[in-house]
Amino acid sequence: MLARKTEQWIINIVFIAISFLCLIPFILLVASSVSSEDSIIQNGYTLFPTEFSLESYSYLFKEPAMLIRAYGISIFITVIGTVTSLIVMTLLAYPISRRDMPLRNAISFFIFFTMLFNGGLVPTYLMYTNVFQIKNTLFALLIPGLLVSAFFVILIRTFFTMNIPNEVIESAYMDGASEFKIFARIVLPLSTPVLGAVGLFQLINYWNDWFNGLIYITDSKLYSIQVLLNTILLNAQYLASNTHFVEDMTSADDIPNHGLKMAIAAIGVIPILVTYPFFQKYFAKGLTVGAVKG
């Protein structure tokens, strides 16, 4: 009994140490973002700021209205995109999980095929801009490459196949339930682990996406927070490395280039850190979903 308790204590201490090691990058990120530019240049990025400064954040918040608008666009796109993609992917995955669905294998292969091959960047860009006319619209941040993931569709289909017994669906049929009622009242409530896990991944994908904004958005009023922060960083780096193009030399030298990178990363990651605990239990269950694929 004593040996078992000792072993349990050792395991707990090891996992606490591992958890602390996982926190070190975030502590380093925040500590570096509140360090002065001179101290970073002299001492590098450190866990404990030798000279406290908020100059990186004051540079970022020079135009708070633009930052708040970008945050609003990112939150709107993340929420709407995550919910919409879950609806679309579950509606696609459920029929091909049913054994009585005609052509289910052919449709599944077609979905799987898109995981291996795609049309390429240029044809995709031309299709979305010339055919669907989504350039400089919020649809450009919602649809390309994010709305439907073939991997997640197969993952959800596998969960439906492995965890929703046919007997449950057949008994619902015998009680007179319609297809939609079976899907909404039986299948979805039994699938919260996979929906929570996929929802978390989609939420992170939408929040972190900057590529769609880079190639489809040229109107600065539609910048998401990731695109705006990336633009600020590129402009700061450009000014810092090309002072001969800047009339006010002092302002270019005062740009906290190193601290600015950390401040941008901190602003970008904090909302995800706040959201993650609400999905953590589903994420832990959802990890086992991908263990078996059919």
Side-chain angles (χ1 to χ4, degrees):
M1 187 69 180
L2 182 61
R4 187 174 179 180
K5 284 188 176 180
T6 305
E7 181 183 352
Q8 190 64 45
W9 271 103
I10 293 174
I11 293 174
N12 290 339
I13 292 172
V14 169
F15 276 98
I16 289 172
I18 294 174
S19 301
F20 181 74
L21 290 175
C22 293
L23 288 176
I24 288 179
F26 295 103
I27 298 173
L28 180 65
L29 178 72
V30 176
S32 301
S33 69
V34 294
S35 299
S36 69
E37 187 71 5
D38 292 337
S39 67
I40 294 177
I41 293 174
Q42 292 175 3
N43 307 315
Y45 297 118
T46 59
L47 291 174
F48 303 101
T50 54
E51 188 177 345
F52 183 81
S53 173
L54 294 176
E55 58 182 343
S56 301
Y57 289 98
S58 64
Y59 182 84
L60 277 178
F61 283 92
K62 276 183 177 177
E63 295 188 36
M66 182 182 296
L67 208 62
I68 293 171
R69 183 175 63 232
Y71 253 120
I73 290 175
S74 282
I75 292 171
F76 176 78
I77 292 297
T78 301
V79 173
I80 298 299
T82 301
V83 173
T84 307
S85 65
L86 276 179
I87 293 172
V88 173
M89 289 192 291
T90 46
L91 288 176
L92 181 57
Y94 178 63
I96 60 176
S97 72
R98 297 282 298 272
R99 292 184 174 83
D100 54 348
M101 167 76 179
L103 301 176
R104 63 189 288 265
N105 290 330
I107 297 173
S108 298
F109 176 77
F110 178 77
I111 294 171
F112 174 73
F113 188 79
T114 62
M115 291 175 61
L116 305 178
F117 304 99
N118 58 62
L121 178 60
V122 174
T124 303
Y125 176 81
L126 293 176
M127 181 185 70
Y128 280 120
T129 55
N130 294 340
V131 179
F132 296 108
Q133 304 287 333
I134 65 170
K135 188 171 183 178
N136 281 330
T137 68
L138 290 180
F139 290 108
L141 303 175
L142 274 172
I143 298 175
L146 293 171
L147 186 63
V148 177
S149 164
F151 175 77
F152 289 146
V153 171
I154 293 175
L155 195 68
I156 298 171
R157 185 210 65 172
T158 303
F159 185 90
F160 288 158
T161 304
M162 304 294 292
N163 295 276
I164 309 296
N166 278 332
E167 292 78 8
V168 174
I169 296 175
E170 289 173 358
S171 64
Y173 267 130
M174 294 177 65
D175 291 338
S178 63
E179 285 284 359
F180 179 77
K181 185 173 287 187
I182 293 172
F183 178 71
R185 299 286 184 84
I186 297 176
V187 175
L188 291 184
L190 292 174
S191 306
T192 50
V194 70
L195 297 181
V198 172
L200 176 62
F201 281 117
Q202 283 295 89
L203 184 142
I204 294 173
N205 288 339
Y206 272 108
W207 183 262
N208 289 335
D209 178 64
W210 57 272
F211 186 70
N212 284 342
L214 181 68
I215 63 174
Y216 294 113
I217 301 295
T218 55
D219 185 356
S220 61
K221 292 180 180 178
L222 295 176
Y223 279 177
S224 64
I225 188 67
Q226 304 296 347
V227 177
L228 178 63
L229 294 177
N230 184 54
T231 303
I232 292 174
L233 179 61
L234 292 176
N235 290 340
Q237 289 177 336
Y238 179 80
L239 291 175
S241 59
N242 297 276
T243 53
H244 55 285
F245 288 132
V246 184
E247 295 180 359
D248 187 355
M249 302 292 289
T250 304
S251 64
D253 292 337
D254 288 343
I255 296 173
N257 200 19
H258 296 85
L260 187 61
K261 296 175 185 174
M262 293 300 176
I264 286 174
I267 288 179
V269 78
I270 285 174
I272 292 298
L273 291 180
V274 173
T275 309
Y276 181 77
F278 297 101
F279 289 86
Q280 192 271 338
K281 62 179 181 180
Y282 299 114
F283 181 70
K285 293 179 182 177
L287 286 177
T288 60
V289 175
V292 179
K293 296 180 177 63

